[in-house]
Amino acid sequence: MFCLGIESTAHTFGASLVDGNGSVLSDVRKSYKSAGKGIVPREVAAWHSENAGAIIEEAMVDGAEMVAFAQGPGIGNCLQVGSDAAHSLAEKLGVPLVGVNHCVAHLEIGRLFSKARDPVFLYVSGGNTQVVAFEAGKYRVFGETLDIGVGNLLDKFARFLGLGFPGGPALYELSKRGKYLPLAYSVKGMDVCYSGLFTQAKQAIEKGAAKEDVAYSLQETAFSMLVEVSERAMAHCGKNELLLGGGVAASPLLQEKCRVMCEARDAKFLPIEPKYAVDNAVMIAWQGLLERKKANREKWDIRPYWRTDEVAVDWR
Ligand code: AMP
Ligand code: MG
């Protein structure tokens, strides 16, 4: 079975053809970039519309027998472009269509390529920050951000410093020369909050602290919070694998912290390789294949607020 997946939840538009063994036959993607300002939904959606046709055409090596698209969660305007493209492609090819959950797709592509059996998944991206594990029949969220995603925290702070988007890599470079300043560490139960940390970091700069020091301390604090929650989820669920995915998974600082924690508990640390940790359509195609029984010729509405723990998991 060959599935053509389409991703368009945020800044990346991608199309990819994958087969039932997880072989990637095509993987075409393009990410919206902006200097100095973040993502303006209307502008990114317009950009997706301009690029969708050519990206899908390039990915359409012969043989798609079904189409999958990221139904949510994500930015409504962006999701709609992917949804429209997926519906018209399925119509044109006369094949069934399935809408899949973007967060679960991140997790499942990680399981496929890392060979993780039953991990706790630390999902760190621009809009999403969750600690997820499969328990009693579904993917449950054991901890999550109560306000902004950790990637969004990095991007907002980078934008404040005038570093442009995406902010994560630029902040990391800057922080190499930084030293630690205490900042608000806020873990509430199993959840994390980042907006107070962002405000405090901004104020530190306004009061004259060195950019390098604040950049380093912001990451140090934000990432330590995530590692604490992930470790507690692993202990609670009795799981001994930590899968790390999402765009922020590329952070060497976060990876190092996760590795140290996993070593201390004799657990496996499995970072998803950067190419598949970021938003991509390979994971959407693979998720479509896992859920191929649900594919049909009906209309699938976008679900901008679709939560990981609302997904009916019937493939494992
Ligand atoms: P995603 O939404 O999953 O595509 O991830 C995008 C987020 O990943 C953005 O917030 C980026 O700033 C962040 N990001 C990308 N590369 C890195 C990196 N090397 N270190 C930290 N954050 C990163
Ligand atoms: Mg994502």
Side-chain angles (χ1 to χ4, degrees), residues 112-162:
L112 176 72
F113 291 143
S114 75
K115 310 249 180 339
R117 283 174 310 106
D118 185 23
V120 163
F121 179 46
L122 173 55
Y123 172 39
V124 282
S125 74
N128 299 293
T129 297
Q130 293 185 329
V131 176
V132 176
F134 187 72
E135 280 288 299
K138 65 178 197 171
Y139 283 120
R140 289 173 199 268
V141 178
F142 284 87
E144 64 191 310
T145 179
L146 297 176
D147 43 40
I148 56 173
V150 65
N152 194 222
L153 168 76
L154 303 178
D155 294 337
K156 275 163 80 102
F157 186 63
R159 185 161 74 223
F160 172 74
L161 295 180

Side-chain angles (χ1 to χ4, degrees), residues 2-17:
F2 294 87
C3 179
L4 192 285
I6 295 177
E7 158 64 30
S8 76
T9 57
H11 46 72
T12 299
F13 195 98
S16 162
L17 190 70

